[in-house]
Amino acid sequence: MTSGFLISQSIRPWMNTDISWCDCKFDANHYQDSLYAAYGVSKPPSLQNAVVKRKAEYLAGRLCAFSALDQLKLKPQDISSGKMRNPIWPAHVLGSISHSNDRAVAVVTTSSTLSGVGIDIEKKIDTERAHSLKDKIINAQEIGRFTTEPEEFGFWFTIAFSAKESFFKAAFPTVQSYFDFDAVEISHIDPATQGLQLTVINSPHPSLPNGCNFYAHYATLPDDMLATFLTLPTLI
C-alpha cells in the first residue's frame, strides 16, 4: 500500500550524536489518504479538505520526523500541530520540519544546550522574482554582502530567505508568536564553509536582544534545492 510514495530517504547525524536529520524525496502522484493510517500518522482535521500536495508534504515531513526520532533511539510518536501550525514535539525534544516541491526534511535533538533548532528547504528563486521580493525579505546592507555577479542574486536571496525561516523556527519555542523577516539580518557570509552569521536587529523577544549573533549553515541539494540549518543555544 505504501509503495511508490517515498522515493528515497536519508538518515544521518548532524555534527554530533544529539542531533538527527532525515530527508526524503516523495511522489505526490502516489499519495492516497489511506497512507496516513498505513504509516501510523494522524491526519489533522485542518487537512481534511486540503489539496493533495498539502496532504502529501505534511505526511512526508512527519515520516522524516519519525525516522529522525528513531535515529536518536526515541520511540516515534504522533507529532500534532499547534495553533500556529507549529509541530508539537515529545517532551525534552526540539525539532523542525520543512518541505518544498517533492522533498521534505526534519531535524530533531535532545540536547540540553539548545533552546531551538530550525531547518528550511527551498527551491532556488530565480533572479527576476528575487528582485521583486527583496524589499520584503532583506535590507540594503544584506544586498551589499551578496555576490556582485547579477546572475547569482537569486541564489543568495534564496539562502537569506531560507536562513531567516530557519531562525524563525528555532526561535519560535521561545518567542511563541510570529515575527517579521527584519528581526535578523545576514551579517556575514562565508562561502568556503557554507556558513552564515545572523544578527538580531529588531528583537522579537527580551531573551534575543539586538546585537546577538547566531550561526547557520547552508547546503545545495539536487534539483536546484537549497537548505539552511540553525541551532539556537540555551538562553540564559
Side-chain angles (χ1 to χ4, degrees):
M1 181 184 297
T2 60
S3 175
F5 178 68
L6 275 183
I7 298 173
S8 62
Q9 191 176 58
S10 176
I11 307 169
R12 55 192 169 211
W14 181 270
M15 298 182 188
N16 60 57
T17 56
D18 290 331
I19 300 176
S20 177
W21 161 314
C22 176
D23 57 83
C24 75
K25 185 173 184 179
F26 63 94
D27 186 351
N29 292 318
H30 286 270
Y31 171 83
Q32 50 186 304
D33 286 344
S34 60
L35 288 176
Y36 273 85
Y39 281 119
V41 179
S42 296
K43 184 167 64 175
S46 62
L47 290 186
Q48 293 304 320
N49 298 315
V51 298
V52 166
K53 176 181 180 296
R54 173 62 183 144
K55 290 189 284 190
E57 64 190 17
Y58 183 99
L59 175 62
R62 262 48 185 185
L63 292 178
C64 286
F66 281 10
S67 295
L69 287 168
D70 184 66
Q71 180 70 13
L72 292 181
K73 303 294 191 292
L74 297 172
K75 182 179 179 180
Q77 301 179 35
D78 191 37
I79 303 166
S80 59
S81 296
K83 294 181 179 179
M84 298 183 184
R85 294 176 60 179
N86 54 299
I88 304 299
W89 298 96
H92 310 299
V93 172
L94 297 168
S96 180
I97 298 173
S98 183
H99 38 68
S100 181
N101 289 22
D102 60 354
R103 295 182 183 275
V105 63
V107 62
V108 298
T109 182
T110 55
S111 173
S112 60
T113 65
L114 299 176
S115 65
V117 293
I119 197 165
D120 185 70
I121 54 173
E122 302 287 342
K123 180 80 170 178
K124 184 171 78 70
I125 300 169
D126 65 71
T127 294
E128 182 179 354
R129 184 161 181 260
H131 277 292
S132 72
L133 295 172
K134 67 179 186 295
D135 292 340
K136 298 178 181 178
I137 310 297
I138 55 178
N139 60 35
Q141 288 73 30
E142 289 172 300
I143 293 175
R145 297 182 183 108
F146 292 171
T147 176
T148 57
E149 298 297 328
E151 65 274 15
E152 294 188 12
F153 182 79
F155 173 87
W156 290 111
F157 175 82
T158 309
I159 292 294
F161 173 83
S162 180
K164 292 186 180 191
E165 286 284 337
S166 288
F167 177 80
F168 173 85
K169 294 175 182 179
F172 186 83
T174 298
V175 180
Q176 288 290 308
S177 66
Y178 287 112
F179 54 88
D180 292 332
F181 288 101
D182 65 356
V184 292
E185 72 173 21
I186 310 301
S187 53
H188 182 70
I189 301 171
D190 186 354
T193 63
Q194 295 188 313
L196 302 168
Q197 177 178 278
L198 288 78
T199 301
V200 178
I201 58 173
N202 289 298
S203 174
H205 189 270
S207 65
L208 299 168
N210 287 347
C212 59
N213 297 315
F214 301 98
Y215 300 91
H217 296 271
Y218 67 87
T220 56
L221 304 175
D223 303 322
D224 274 342
M225 300 295 290
L226 301 170
T228 60
F229 171 67
L230 180 145
T231 58
L232 206 66
T234 299
L235 305 172
I236 305 302

